[in-house]
């Protein structure tokens, strides 16, 4: 294999992304004239701008679509919002003259809004619900107490369309427009919507809430205008209790959710499908520029339909061991074929980017590619924290945290790993990024022994990255995630400078987040130090967990007094 790196130009990358991740499927346009346009909004896409640094909202995407279609800069007036997890009818003005009428109708509650939802636990037939709602401390909408002056009245009218077992397909017409009112009121009535992570809904591929109809007066012609969005097929499957959905549906929804990431000019690698969190239990798909890597965790996962549906230059396959505590040779062809199972091979190594920082990956190297994509946001945090600091990177693997720290202006980095080959890979990565220098050192050693020696010598670091595997064995030690974290956290905190930060990460799916926090607190007590802060860090948006489950990646940022 070649040892040179290849990075394809940004123009080619952009064209490939546009083709695989189009701004809008034209079939989603429900109604259009010179004054207004109505869409069947996809689930998972914010209706208005969520992040101005890389906008992925429907307004931005619709403008991109109209600009490409018509060759001119479109005008869009927004008067309506949908929850990000709700699909269905949403209307925008194309003519500024339409704004006055639309604003008056939406603000004056003159627009008839109809929804459909799949719930579990609804008793009886149709009825009118009325609650007083208020925003709770966690940001959710809750039913208010009788004396809460902040409360606002919320009224939907509910009709039962169909029943199956303990589930029901409901039609709802709302009189008011409170945030999350349908979700909160159905949950308060003992019938939470399926897939509702916030309000206790049963597991489902998505939130089973859909804006089915919008009825109003045409803003310029003053004639009746009713726009319908058909009920998604997934609603009827959920009603019947069918857990599996067609691979094509799950993949299409995942592409909608990842549009913003796919169109970031500075990032070319991310997760496209994250197992049950994206409706495909037992399967995950990672994007590396023009190539994809498919991870298989279950024998009954629909692998072949997924492989057939992926549109990439090449697709690699990683068969994960059935038991998480089984350590296998990651370069065994039975688990990780070195050649793609679909399409053309990727350059070896291939250069991908995160937030503009280059990293070397090898897609056919084994079960791991040289970088863990779920740490993308943590690498960005390390880059922000690293300026002028002495950084220790434990269990460094191919040293992506060290590269991120160096790109952020770290005074020095020390990467520690038991594998000389992986450290050499990391050194080559620093060279690729133009960051190599004597201030960036590498130590082949057992991390536990290395920490013990550093503490004995009085060495101190301002920022420590500790991301151990769930299981590991070396000649000097054996590590198992769980209570072993107490001793590891203590060893890290003994060499952390006052005011310094420890980034501690775990991929142990069995370990609850609260236990992980407890182990770090116990480690601090064992080390004889006090934590000024222990902050929970969220997972990247492209790694959603299934409903009712914690994210597999748990990250804590500790700061010493």
């Amino acid at each position: 294999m070649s040892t040179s790196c290849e990075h394809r130009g940004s123009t080619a990358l952009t064209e490939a992304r546009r083709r695989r991740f189009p701004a809008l499927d034209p079939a989603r346009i429900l109604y259009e004239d010179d004054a207004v346009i109505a869409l069947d909004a996809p689930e998972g896409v914010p209706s208005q701008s969520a992040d101005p640094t890389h906008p992925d909202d429907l307004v931005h995407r619709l403008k991109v679509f109209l600009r490409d279609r018509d060759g001119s800069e479109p005008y869009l007036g927004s008067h309506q919002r949908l929850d990000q997890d709700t699909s269905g009818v949403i209307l925008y003005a194309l003519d500024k003259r339409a704004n006055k009428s639309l604003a008056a109708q939406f603000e004056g509650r003159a627009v008839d809004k109809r929804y459909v939802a799949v719930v579990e636990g609804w008793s009886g037939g149709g009825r009118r619900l009325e609650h007083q709602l208020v925003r709770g401390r966690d940001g959710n909408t809750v039913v208010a107490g009788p004396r809460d002056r902040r409360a606002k009245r919320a009224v939907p009218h509910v009709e039962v369309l169909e029943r199956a077992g303990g589930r029901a397909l409901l039609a709802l017409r709302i009189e008011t427009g409170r945030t999350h009112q349908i979700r909160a009121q159905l949950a308060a009535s003992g019938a939470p919507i399926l897939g509702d992570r916030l309000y206790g809904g049963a597991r489902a591929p998505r939130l089973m809430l859909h804006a089915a109809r919008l009825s109003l007066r045409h803003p310029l012609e003053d004639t009746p205008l009713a726009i319908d969005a058909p009920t998604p097929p997934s609603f009827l499957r959920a009603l019947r209790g069918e857990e599996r959905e067609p691979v094509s549906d799950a993949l299409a929804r995942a592409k909608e959710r990842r549009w913003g990431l796919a169109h970031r000019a500075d990032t070319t690698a991310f997760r496209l499908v994250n197992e049950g969190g994206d409706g495909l239990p037992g399967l995950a798909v990672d994007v590396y520029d023009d190539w994809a890597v498919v991870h298989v965790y279950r024998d009954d996962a629909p692998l072949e339909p997924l492989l057939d549906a992926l549109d990439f230059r090449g697709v690699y396959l990683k068969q994960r061991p059935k038991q998480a505590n089984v350590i296998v040779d990651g370069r065994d062809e039975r688990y990780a074929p070195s050649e793609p199972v679909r399409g053309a091979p990727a350059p070896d190594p291939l250069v991908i980017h995160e937030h503009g920082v280059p990293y070397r990956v090898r897609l056919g190297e084994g079960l791991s590619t040289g970088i863990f994509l779920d740490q993308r946001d943590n690498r960005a945090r390390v880059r922000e924290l690293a300026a002028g600091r002495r950084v220790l990177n434990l269990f460094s693997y191919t040293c992506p945290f060290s590269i991120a720290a160096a790109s952020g202006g770290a005074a020095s980095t020390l990467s520690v790993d038991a594998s000389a080959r992986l450290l050499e890979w990391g050194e080559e990565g620093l060279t690729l990024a133009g960051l190599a220098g004597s201030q960036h050192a590498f130590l082949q050693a057992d991390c536990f022994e290395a920490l013990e020696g550093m503490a004995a010598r009085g060495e101190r670091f301002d920022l420590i990255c500790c991301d151990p595997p769930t299981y590991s064995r070396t000649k000097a030690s054996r590590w198992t995630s769980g209570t072993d974290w107490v001793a590891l956290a203590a060893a890290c905190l003994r060499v952390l400078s006052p005011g310094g930060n420890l980034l501690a990460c775990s991929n142990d799916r069995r370990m609850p987040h609260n236990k992980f926090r407890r182990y770090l607190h116990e480690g601090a007590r064992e080390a004889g130090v006090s934590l000024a802060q222990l902050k929970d860090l969220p997972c990247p948006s492209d790694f959603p967990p299934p409903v009712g489950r914690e994210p597999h990646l748990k990250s804590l940022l500790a700061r010493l007094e």
Side-chain angles (χ1 to χ4, degrees), residues 5 49 83 109 146 239-240 272 291 369 402 510 542:
C5 298
S49 184
D83 288 348
R109 310 291 182 202
L239 177 68
R240 295 190 293 264
L272 174 57
W291 285 266
T369 62
S402 302
R510 308 160 309 157
D542 47 331

Side-chain angles (χ1 to χ4, degrees), residues 197-212:
R197 302 171 188 267
L198 296 179
Y199 297 95
R203 188 180 305 174
R206 54 156 291 185
L207 175 70
M208 294 293 162
L209 179 63
H210 178 74

Side-chain angles (χ1 to χ4, degrees), residues 270-519:
F270 56 91
R271 177 149 288 191
L272 174 57
V273 173
N274 191 51
E275 303 181 68
D278 284 309
L280 285 176
L283 292 169
V285 181
D286 290 330
V287 173
Y288 292 87
D289 198 349
D290 273 353
W291 285 266
V293 173
V294 174
H295 307 267
V296 183
Y297 296 89
R298 286 169 39 175
D299 289 340
D300 61 344
L303 174 61
E304 290 300 321
L306 177 63
L307 292 175
D308 293 340
L310 291 173
D311 176 25
F312 288 87
R313 285 184 66 185
V315 181
Y316 288 80
L317 184 64
K318 313 291 183 185
Q319 294 273 4
R320 298 289 170 174
K322 297 179 181 61
Q323 291 180 275
N325 61 346
V326 173
I327 300 174
V328 301
D329 182 357
R331 288 173 288 178
D332 189 325
E333 288 282 328
R334 293 175 298 171
Y335 298 102
S338 57
E339 296 298 319
V341 295
R342 294 282 195 281
D348 183 58
L350 171 72
V351 177
I352 55 97
H353 287 77
E354 283 186 354
H355 305 293
V357 179
Y359 297 92
R360 300 163 76 251
V361 296
R362 287 191 167 119
L363 304 189
E365 174 74 8
L367 283 175
S368 299
T369 62
I371 196 167
F372 297 116
L373 297 184
D374 57 355
Q375 292 285 15
R376 181 183 64 251
D377 289 354
N378 281 338
R379 282 187 285 272
R381 293 183 183 101
V382 166
R383 188 180 182 186
E384 293 173 359
L385 291 169
R389 292 181 137 191
R390 298 161 295 174
V391 179
L392 173 62
N393 183 9
L394 298 165
F395 308 95
S396 60
Y397 185 42
T398 60
C399 310
F401 276 125
S402 302
I403 296 170
S407 70
S412 65
T413 65
L414 175 59
S415 303
V416 184
D417 198 275
S419 170
R421 183 179 66 88
L422 294 177
L423 291 173
E424 181 181 347
W425 189 334
E427 193 167 5
E428 291 169 354
L430 277 167
T431 301
L432 168 72
L435 300 167
S438 59
Q439 73 273 32
H440 303 301
F442 303 86
L443 175 62
Q444 181 190 0
D446 177 274
C447 287
F448 302 96
E449 286 189 337
L451 284 168
E452 186 177 347
M454 292 170 190
R457 293 188 296 271
E459 295 183 43
R460 294 293 182 269
F461 299 88
D462 308 308
L463 174 60
I464 299 175
C465 304
C466 183
D467 181 24
T470 305
Y471 305 92
S472 71
R473 289 193 303 263
T474 68
K475 293 180 181 179
S477 66
R478 180 185 179 92
W479 156 265
T480 301
S481 177
T483 55
D484 285 359
W485 259 106
V486 176
L488 178 56
C492 290
L493 293 170
R494 290 189 186 102
V495 298
L496 185 63
S497 300
N501 290 109
L502 166 64
L503 172 64
C505 306
S506 172
N507 261 309
D508 185 354
R509 299 181 184 226
R510 308 160 309 157
M511 182 171 64
H513 199 92
N514 59 348
K515 277 194 176 181
F516 190 31
R517 288 182 60 90
R518 192 182 78 203
Y519 294 150

